[in-house]
Amino acid sequence: MSEPKAPTPAPGDTYKGWLFKWTNYIKGYQRRWFVLSNGLLSYYRTQAEMGHTCRGTINLATANIAVEDSCNFVISNGGTQTYHLKASSEVERQRWITALELAKAKAFRMQAESDDSGDESTPPAAGQGGGARNSEVQSTLRTLGSKVEDLSTCNDLIAKHGSALQRSLSELEGVRLGGETSEKIRQVTERATLFRITSNAMINACRDFLALAQAHSKRWQKALQAEREQRVRLEETLEQLAKQHNHLERAFRGATVLPPSQSNPAIDSKGSVPGKGDASDEDEENEFFDACEDVQEFITVPADPKYHRSGSNVSGISSEMGMDDGTTSLDEQSMASNPESPQSQEVVPVRKRRTRIPDKPNYSLNLWSIMKNCIGKELSKIPMPVNFNEPLSMLQRLSEDLEYYELLDRGAKCQSSLEQMCYVAAFTVSSYSTTVHRTGKPFNPLLGETFELDRLQESGYRSLCEQVSHHPPAAAHHAISERGWTLRQEIALASKFRGKYLSIMPLGSIHCIFEKSNNHYTWKKVTTTVHNIIVGKLWIDQSGEIDIVNHRTGDRCHLKFAPYSYFSRDVARKVTGVVTDKDGKAHYVLSGTWDEKMECSRVMQSSRGGENGADGRQKTVYQTLKAKELWRKTPLPEGAENMYYFSTLALTLNEPEEGVAPTDSRKRPDQRLMEQGRWEEANAEKQRLEEKQRTARREREREANRSANPEEGKEPADGALIEDSISDSPLKSGHQDSYKAMWFDRCVDPMTGEPTHIYRGGYWETKEQGNWDSCPDIF
C-alpha cells in the first residue's frame, strides 16, 4: 500500500499521517490517522472523524519514545497510555520520530517555564478558584508592603548615620594633630562602619524587592500570554470543528453516502483501501455506547422472475394475499415518483402566499453559559432567550405535520386497507423531514394560545391547534379534510437536558380516521435528540419505533427509525418497516429515510433464513417486487439557510391574516418582533408575556381555592407554592388546573383509553360571525 510522502516536519509544525496502531491480539495492527499538534499526539479512525471523534490523546511532555525495529516504535506516558505504532517504511518512521522528538522538547520547555512561574503558590482548587486567587493577591501585596517598609526604615537610618558621619568629618578637619587625633579617627571609623552596614542592609532589601517584583511580573506576563494563546487555540479549534462538522454533514447528505448495494465499503473517500480492522470498533477505546452498527430485523431480496409479469397477474396475486378484488394496487397506481403528478396539479392557490421572511440576524450567544446550570431539567422550565428560538410557536410546528397532506388524500382513495396503511406510514415519516436542519427552539405557547391553518380552498383541509395545558405543556390539534380524512392529536413534551445532548420525548397518540372505509389509525411519535449542545454545530436525530394500528381491521405497520451512528455503513437517518395483516402476515416492506423519501415493496413470499439476528434467531427473508416511491421531500426554498431553514409551508405560517382569533400565534408580539429581527425587544416582550401568564395562573388558583373552601376565605401567602403544587403532570399527581380549554373538551379517548382533548366544534362558525368576545386576553 503506497502512502503519501509527508514533508519533513519543522519545529512547532502540525504533523499528520497514517500509522498502524496495535489494538489487541484478535485485530492486530489497525490503520489510524494520527495528528501531532501543540505537543499532543491524537489519533482517529479516519480523517473525517477529526470533526467529531478523537480516539485518544497522549501528552508528549511526559512521554517516552522508544524505537523497536526498522518500522516499529512505542510511545508511553508511564503506564496509563502506551501506543505500539508501525510506519509503512523506515523513512516514514524516522520522520515521525523526528517530529515527535521536536514536539516533546518544545512541550517540555513550555511545561518547565510554566512550572517555574506557576509553582510558587498552590493552584486554586476546583470550585474555589476565585477565593484562592484573591488570597494569593492579598498575600503578595502584604509581602511587597513589608519590603517597602524595610526600605523606608533603611532610608531613615542612612540619613541619621550619614549626618553623624558628616559631623565627625567636620570635627576631624578642625582638630590639631596630637592626642585627640586617634580618638577622632576611631569615631569616624565607627560611624563609617555603621553607615556601611546600613547601606548594605538597604541594598539587600532593594535586591529582594526587585527580585520579587521581577518574578511576579514575569509570572503574570506568562500567564497573560498563555491565556491569550489558549483563547486563540480554542477559537481556531471551534472554527475547525464547525467547518469539519458541516463538511461531514454535507458529505453524508450528498453522493458520498450511498446504500450498501451502491457503495463499496472497502474504498474510502480518498480512494485508498482502509486497513483490515477499519470496519469494526476497538473495544477498549470505544467512547460511543450507542454507536454500533444497526442490526436489520429482516432481509429483502428480489422476488422470483415468475412474479414479474403483467399487471393482471399482479392483481391475481393481490387477491391471493387477501386484498379486495378490483382494487387498484400500488404497482398500478402512480406513486408520486413523478413530480408532476395529478395531485400536485390540483392545488390551485387562491391567494399568493409570501415566499420570504427577514433574514436571521447574526447574533452570537453562548448556549452553554445559559444551559450549564439546567442539566436534568425539563426543557419547558429552562428560561431561554429568543436567540435560540425560531419565529414560530410549537402550535405552528405541530401544524407542519400537514406539510405532505397529499399522502392522506391518496390514502383516502385506496380501497385496500393494507395499501392505505402504506400511505399513512409514509405520512408519519414525512412529518419529521422538516426537522433535519431546524435546530431552533419554537416558542412555548401561552396557555389558551391558538393557531388556525385554513387551506380549505387551496388544499381542501383546515386545522386548529390550542395550548390546553401549561404544566405539563400540551397542545391539542384537529384537522379535517374535504377529501375524506380527519387527523387529531394531543402532544405533550417530556424533555431532559443531559449536557452533551437534549432528548425530547413526545407523549400522546395521533389519530387518523378515513370516512369512506371507517378505518381508524393510531400511532405515537419517536424521540428527537439534539446533539452538540456544548461545542460544535447542532444537529438533530430521530430514533425509536412506531407501531401504526388499524383498529377496524387489525392491520399493523412497525416502523423503526435507526439512530445515527458514526460507524454504520448503512445510509444515515434510515427508516424501515413492515405492513402486516391481523394474522401477522407481511404484505409490504417500507424503506427510506425520514429526511428524503420513503419507498414501498410488495411482499411475494417470506421465509426464515439468512444470518442470525442479534438475539440468536434467524431473520425473516422477504421476496419483494421492485420498490415504488411513496413520498419524496420537497426541496427547501432558495435562501432557506438564512431563513431558519423554513420550508415553503413554514414561511407562510406566521404570515398575518385577517379574521383570525385574538389568541392566534400570528398575533403574538414577541414572536413577531423576533421575525422582524428586533431580538432585544422580543426578549423584553417575552418576559412580559410569561409574567402575565404566571399572574393569571395564580389568580385562577386563588379562585379555585375560594370555591373549594368558601368558609376559610384565605389566599395562599406565596404564589410560588402554587406554582410548585401544579408543576407535575396531572396524570401523575391527580391535580387539575382550573383552566378549561376554549375549543377542546377533556375526555378519555375511546380507542386508547388515555385522557385527551377532542375538538368540540364552534371555532370556524365563530370566525364566520367575527365574534371573539369570549376569547381570553393572553397577549
Side-chain angles (χ1 to χ4, degrees), residues 225-242:
Q225 183 64 23
E227 291 292 337
R228 290 176 177 173
E229 293 177 356
Q230 184 178 8
R231 177 183 176 184
V232 172
R233 287 196 298 268
L234 286 175
E235 291 176 351
E236 293 175 352
T237 303
L238 288 176
E239 183 179 359
Q240 183 183 10
L241 285 174

Side-chain angles (χ1 to χ4, degrees), residues 61 108 228 413 774:
F108 183 81
R228 290 176 177 173
K413 299 178 182 178
S774 59

Side-chain angles (χ1 to χ4, degrees), residues 379 388-398 438-445 493 504 668 671 686:
L379 178 64
F388 301 111
N389 284 23
E390 61 178 18
L392 289 179
S393 74
M394 191 63 200
L395 302 181
Q396 291 165 316
R397 284 291 292 267
L398 196 60
R438 301 273 290 279
T439 57
K441 175 183 174 292
F443 279 80
N444 289 333
L493 298 179
I504 303 172
R668 182 165 173 165
Q671 185 173 299
K686 181 174 180 288

Side-chain angles (χ1 to χ4, degrees), residues 9-295:
D13 288 350
T14 299
Y15 194 63
K16 305 176 183 178
W18 290 102
L19 289 172
F20 292 88
K21 178 182 178 295
W22 175 264
T23 57
N24 51 50
Y25 287 98
I26 298 177
K27 301 176 183 177
Y29 282 94
Q30 298 294 318
R31 190 167 179 263
R32 297 292 181 259
W33 179 256
F34 281 77
V35 177
L36 174 60
S37 178
N38 295 325
L40 300 176
L41 180 65
S42 306
Y43 76 98
Y44 311 82
R45 287 189 60 191
T46 62
Q47 298 181 51
E49 277 193 350
M50 291 177 62
H52 51 77
T53 307
C54 179
R55 297 291 170 177
T57 300
I58 190 168
N59 189 350
L60 295 178
T62 58
N64 297 320
I65 304 173
V67 178
E68 291 187 339
D69 56 22
S70 60
C71 295
N72 292 38
F73 58 101
V74 180
I75 302 176
S76 175
N77 64 353
T80 57
Q81 284 181 300
T82 302
Y83 295 166
H84 294 267
L85 306 176
K86 181 170 67 174
S88 59
S89 64
E90 185 174 359
V91 175
E92 184 66 17
R93 186 217 64 184
Q94 188 57 42
R95 288 175 176 169
W96 274 103
I97 293 296
T98 303
L100 292 170
E101 292 292 350
L102 291 173
K104 177 182 178 181
K106 182 177 180 181
F108 183 81
R109 287 196 305 269
M110 293 180 63
Q111 183 174 2
E113 292 174 358
S114 177
D115 293 341
D116 291 341
S117 61
D119 291 342
E120 297 178 9
S121 60
T122 305
Q128 300 177 353
R133 286 191 296 269
N134 186 53
S135 176
E136 179 184 357
V137 171
Q138 295 297 330
S139 176
T140 302
L141 291 176
R142 286 194 297 269
T143 303
L144 293 177
S146 65
K147 293 298 180 182
V148 171
E149 291 179 0
D150 292 344
L151 290 175
S152 178
T153 303
C154 291
N155 181 65
D156 294 338
L157 291 175
I158 286 175
K160 179 179 178 181
H161 294 304
S163 299
L165 180 61
Q166 185 66 36
R167 288 194 302 271
S168 297
L169 291 174
S170 300
E171 293 175 358
L172 183 61
E173 292 176 355
V175 173
R176 297 178 181 179
L177 294 177
E180 297 181 355
T181 303
S182 58
E183 182 65 22
K184 294 296 182 180
I185 293 176
R186 186 182 63 80
Q187 292 180 2
V188 170
T189 303
E190 290 179 354
R191 286 173 172 77
T193 302
L194 290 174
F195 184 80
R196 178 175 55 82
I197 294 173
T198 306
S199 300
N200 288 337
M202 182 176 182
I203 292 173
N204 292 334
C206 291
R207 185 182 296 111
D208 293 341
F209 178 81
L210 180 61
L212 187 61
Q214 288 178 343
H216 282 280
S217 176
K218 182 179 179 182
R219 178 185 175 187
W220 291 332
Q221 289 176 357
K222 288 186 176 181
L224 179 60
Q225 183 64 23
E227 291 292 337
R228 290 176 177 173
E229 293 177 356
Q230 184 178 8
R231 177 183 176 184
V232 172
R233 287 196 298 268
L234 286 175
E235 291 176 351
E236 293 175 352
T237 303
L238 288 176
E239 183 179 359
Q240 183 183 10
L241 285 174
K243 290 180 179 179
Q244 291 173 347
H245 198 159
N246 190 25
H247 174 73
L248 181 64
E249 188 175 78
R250 290 198 306 269
F252 270 96
R253 292 200 309 267
T256 57
V257 179
L258 299 176
S261 60
Q262 303 176 11
S263 63
N264 186 356
I267 301 178
D268 61 11
S269 60
K270 297 294 183 182
S272 61
V273 181
K276 179 178 179 181
D278 247 4
S280 61
D281 302 334
E282 300 172 16
D283 298 335
E284 74 277 10
E285 298 166 358
N286 188 7
E287 300 175 357
F288 295 85
F289 299 99
D290 59 345
C292 57
E293 185 164 353
D294 185 57
V295 180

